[in-house]
Amino acid sequence: MHSSDRASLSRRQMLSLGLATSALAVTGLATPAWAITTQEKIVDLSRLTIEEFMSDPQLADFQKFMKSAKGILIFPQMFKGGFILGAEGGNGVYLVKGADGSWSPPAFYTFAAGSIGLQVGGQVSQAVFTVMNEKTVNSLIGGQFKMGADASVAVGPIGAGTGASTTTDFKFDIYSFSKTVGLFGGGALDGAGIIVNKDYDKAYYGSEASSREILVDRKVFNPQADPLRQALPQ
């Protein structure tokens, strides 16, 4: 084989290797060193959601509810869609306010709700739930929670285009805020489940920890969540 042929073959091999590497990157098989985990992405998006809601003029009363809240559920990506049989869901975080006014590390929760009705297509939105009393805070820490299942638990939906001025006496246990009008329309929150995501907790903190150990005892920490905690008003 002539030297020119060997050089040509070497160039073809290098080109093939480069194309193969690019293909792996495109398909997600090659993971960049800077890639963040799913849990870190949820925490980052939760911080952005809070910052957007706090500055949104259509959610002018959101800050009032936040300052009085004992706990907060943040779902930065809520999915809703289906045809006739609908579903809503998403992964998010739950934080609890301590006696000193500081916010706990986040515990991961999953929201799941189903409905039957005439609906076509889908949407993605952000949702925040402010928890207004200790009883409901503790119920959520318990692991599995169904909205509306207990007579003492009521949900008052408040979103873009609706006013909260008539409900600032906080007569409901939980208030929902969304940037999409009608995201929780038609009583979709009744029976919705909010469930602890233990797998996400373990992946994020690197060890087994119950939701109570995270939210109340504060036995585990991840500094990546500090910007989110600092974004919440005390």
Side-chain angles (χ1 to χ4, degrees), residues 10-26:
S10 177
R11 286 195 294 271
R12 287 198 298 269
Q13 288 173 331
M14 291 296 291
L15 178 59
S16 297
L17 178 60
L19 291 174
T21 303
S22 299
L24 287 174
V26 169

Side-chain angles (χ1 to χ4, degrees), residues 2-217:
H2 295 293
S3 59
S4 60
D5 293 332
R6 286 197 298 269
S8 177
L9 177 60
S10 177
R11 286 195 294 271
R12 287 198 298 269
Q13 288 173 331
M14 291 296 291
L15 178 59
S16 297
L17 178 60
L19 291 174
T21 303
S22 299
L24 287 174
V26 169
T27 58
L29 297 178
T31 303
W34 46 263
I36 67 173
T37 66
T38 298
Q39 295 76 28
E40 290 171 337
K41 181 179 179 181
I42 291 173
V43 171
D44 277 341
L45 290 176
S46 295
R47 173 185 58 82
L48 291 174
T49 296
I50 289 298
E51 291 174 351
E52 288 178 19
F53 279 37
M54 293 283 284
S55 61
D56 191 335
Q58 294 190 78
L59 298 172
D61 288 320
F62 180 69
Q63 293 190 36
K64 299 178 185 177
F65 285 79
M66 281 293 301
K67 289 180 180 179
S68 298
K70 306 297 182 183
I72 182 169
L73 283 158
I74 311 166
F75 293 97
Q77 291 184 325
M78 294 287 292
F79 299 90
K80 177 180 180 180
F83 179 74
I84 305 303
L85 292 176
E88 294 164 317
N91 291 308
V93 293
Y94 181 39
L95 297 92
V96 171
K97 186 183 292 183
D100 62 352
S102 66
W103 288 92
S104 72
F108 290 86
Y109 280 67
T110 297
F111 179 95
S115 60
I116 299 177
L118 184 59
Q119 51 184 310
V120 180
Q123 62 183 188
V124 179
S125 185
Q126 304 153 292
V128 175
F129 299 87
T130 57
V131 185
M132 310 310 295
N133 56 63
E134 295 292 344
K135 179 181 178 181
T136 310
V137 163
N138 289 322
S139 295
L140 280 160
I141 292 174
Q144 293 191 3
F145 181 89
K146 282 192 175 182
M147 291 187 178
D150 191 320
S152 66
V153 178
V155 180
I158 301 164
T162 64
S165 60
T166 60
T167 56
T168 51
D169 56 346
F170 309 127
K171 63 180 180 180
F172 293 122
D173 297 313
I174 296 176
Y175 289 87
S176 65
F177 293 82
S178 172
K179 297 198 75 171
T180 302
V181 178
L183 177 65
F184 300 118
L189 284 177
D190 288 340
I194 300 177
I195 307 166
V196 172
N197 194 324
K198 295 181 180 180
D199 291 339
Y200 276 27
D201 286 339
K202 183 177 180 180
Y204 189 67
Y205 292 107
S207 61
E208 296 277 2
S210 68
S211 55
R212 182 165 293 278
E213 288 174 331
I214 297 170
L215 299 168
V216 179
D217 302 332

